Amino acid sequence: TILPDSIVFHTILAREDARDAFISDKATSIEDLAQGSSIGTASLRRKSQLLSYRPDLTVLPIRGNVDTRLQKIKEGIIDATLLAYAGLKRLGKDREIKQLIDTKVILPAVGQGALAATCRGDDAYANTVLALLSEPTTTAAIVAERAMLAVLDGSCHTPIGGLAQPDGQGHLELRGLVALPDGAKTAEVTMTAPITKAEDLGKSVGENLLIKAGPDILNFLEVGKPLFVRPHPEAE
């Protein structure tokens, strides 16, 4: 989330569908899974929201590339899994999808579905080229989501979801969520602001989530914070 001041962030092209996809050989949707079925995912964001929605399911940690995870379904090691639709589509694996999950059920990860590039701030040529490829609405949405994440000081090890969407009338709606991994407690905030105030919107949602989260979630977020070792400003 944190970039050096000398690095400029650009989004590239329009955002792909940000939703998570449900994959299974035993059911056509999360709702159709039998009680006690197993879903494989190492994502605490997915785990927390899954268990909040279907506490009867068993979430098993799995890792590996997309093919490895799909193979675990074929072998019957797990009954289902969740993966980002955008990644599956870009890999030509979208035929495996049984259901695109409504964001009211599972909020995607910050930036999910978007492609981005960074370059040095003093590289005029690179900034000019990347600016031509950037899509303004996607950029505003990702700026808002990343600003929210920065306030929460989150990482891939914390159950945080966020999605900013334009309303077509010059405004962004940002939904943010923090939760405990077991889904027992969740906090969600939705706010709207002019698209020109994307960063301020993200900060406001993050700050309101911290207020709404309560001590249990806040304590978990504190434990899950990544450790950054920053160089001294005078270091060579």
Side-chain angles (χ1 to χ4, degrees):
T1 301
I2 300 173
L3 295 175
D5 292 338
S6 60
I7 299 298
V8 178
F9 175 90
H10 295 270
T11 61
I12 300 178
L13 308 179
R15 188 179 204 169
E16 184 55 84
D17 192 321
R19 288 177 290 179
D20 278 328
F22 172 80
I23 303 170
S24 176
D25 285 343
K26 296 184 177 180
T28 58
S29 68
I30 291 178
E31 293 77 13
D32 289 341
L33 274 174
Q35 186 172 355
S37 294
S38 61
I39 293 190
T41 179
S43 165
L44 294 184
R45 172 187 61 83
R46 291 181 175 126
K47 177 183 177 180
S48 63
Q49 294 182 84
L50 269 172
L51 292 177
S52 178
Y53 185 62
R54 286 284 308 268
D56 60 294
L57 297 177
T58 300
V59 178
L60 300 177
I62 63 167
R63 298 189 182 277
N65 60 28
V66 170
D67 287 331
T68 298
R69 299 181 191 210
L70 295 178
Q71 187 61 32
K72 291 182 185 295
I73 293 176
K74 306 299 181 187
E75 295 173 357
I77 297 172
I78 53 175
D79 296 319
T81 190
L82 302 179
L83 294 168
Y85 166 76
L88 289 167
K89 181 179 179 182
R90 289 166 182 153
L91 290 171
K93 303 284 186 181
D94 46 327
R95 64 185 179 278
E96 303 283 350
I97 297 171
K98 295 295 177 66
Q99 177 193 29
L100 288 178
I101 303 168
D102 194 308
T103 57
K104 293 179 181 178
V105 176
I106 297 183
L107 203 58
V110 164
Q112 187 163 309
L115 297 176
T118 58
C119 67
R120 298 192 314 274
D122 60 1
D123 189 331
Y125 176 76
N127 276 286
T128 298
V129 172
L130 291 174
L132 292 173
L133 297 173
S134 294
E135 202 285 317
T137 302
T138 298
T139 298
I142 302 305
V143 165
E145 293 171 19
R146 286 170 56 83
M148 179 199 76
L149 187 65
V151 170
L152 297 173
D153 206 4
S155 72
C156 59
H157 302 295
T158 46
I160 296 172
L163 180 63
Q165 295 177 297
D167 65 359
Q169 298 180 340
H171 288 76
L172 274 180
E173 178 186 88
L174 173 59
R175 291 175 55 215
L177 173 142
V178 293
L180 290 179
D182 62 2
K185 291 185 179 180
T186 63
E188 186 172 334
V189 170
T190 301
M191 298 179 71
T192 303
I195 202 166
T196 55
K197 300 291 185 180
E199 186 171 4
D200 291 340
L201 173 63
K203 290 178 180 178
S204 294
V205 170
E207 290 164 357
N208 278 274
L209 278 171
L210 290 177
I211 294 170
K212 193 173 182 180
D216 290 342
I217 296 177
L218 291 178
N219 288 339
F220 183 83
L221 290 177
E222 186 66 30
V223 171
K225 282 183 180 179
L227 176 62
F228 290 103
V229 179
R230 299 179 183 277
H232 190 278
E234 296 181 1
E236 295 183 356

